Each structure stands twice: as structure tokens, then as C-alpha cells.
Amino acid sequence: MKEYAIYQLENKEYDGFLLCLTYESILNYLKSIENEVMISESTGILLVDQLLITGNGRNRFIVCPFDHGTINIDAAESVSPKECYRKLSIQLLRQNYACLENSILTDQQRSKIQEEVVF
């Protein structure tokens, strides 16, 4: 299983979406992400959900620019995205529920994921 799920987005707000599926820092698998076709063959803005790393706080979502195989982590900024991105995260986490077993999420948050309730 990969440490993340990555998707190309078809909107004008962000070009890609990355959901971290482990509690480890994104820096531990950054090279793998940079080798993904979407990142290596284009430029844009990547929305990253770090729920399993940081919890549901203000640093949960960050945006980073990427350019043909390089993600500029130094330019990362915290954001508060629209609810549709939180919903996407919940759907992806529900599909990858096994990764929540040893996560920092509370039982209540895990229940919300099972029930597809956005938080």
C-alpha cells in the first residue's frame, strides 16, 4: 500500500489533491510523490491533506506548488479548503480504512469516516 493517494483535479482552484495515508511526514515519501506522472509531467498547485499526520487542526491542509517533478515544500502554506475537499478525504479514508488503525484519529473521528460525515 502506498503512503498516499494522489488525484488530478479538474477545477481552477487546485491542480492536484494528495491525501497522506500514514502518520509519517510527507518528507519521508516526497521523492515517490514527485515521480507520479501528474507531478512529473506538469506544473500547478497541489492541495495536501495531512489529517493522519497533524490531526484536524489548522495545519491539516496545505498547498504547495509543483513544477515538472519538484514539489516546493518550502513554499507550502496552510489553507482552509472548501468542504468538497474534506468530503473527498473522507471518501478516500473510508476506502483505505485499514490505515486508520494506528492513526492519531479519535474513535469519534473514525466513526464519522465510516458514516461518511465530513469534519
Side-chain angles (χ1 to χ4, degrees), residues 2-89:
K2 283 189 177 180
E3 295 90 355
Y4 59 89
I6 189 166
Y7 292 92
Q8 189 164 359
L9 297 174
E10 301 296 325
N11 65 47
K12 296 182 185 205
E13 197 168 10
Y14 307 108
D15 301 290
F17 178 79
L18 178 85
L19 173 65
C20 301
L21 296 176
T22 178
Y23 62 87
E24 294 180 23
S25 168
I26 189 174
L27 298 176
N28 291 351
Y29 46 91
L30 185 62
K31 286 297 175 199
S32 179
I33 298 167
E34 290 177 331
N35 287 327
E36 293 284 340
V37 172
M38 183 191 78
I39 301 297
S40 67
E41 296 183 2
S42 63
T43 63
I45 301 294
L46 183 65
L47 176 64
V48 180
D49 186 346
Q50 306 180 103
L51 177 64
L52 301 183
I53 300 167
T54 64
N56 192 28
R58 54 190 278 202
N59 292 327
R60 174 180 172 180
F61 288 95
I62 60 171
V63 291
C64 305
F66 65 90
D67 185 3
H68 292 92
T70 302
I71 298 174
N72 188 352
I73 292 291
D74 293 335
E77 297 179 17
S78 293
V79 294
S80 182
K82 295 177 184 172
E83 188 171 323
C84 63
Y85 301 108
R86 292 176 183 271
K87 185 175 183 173
L88 177 57
S89 291

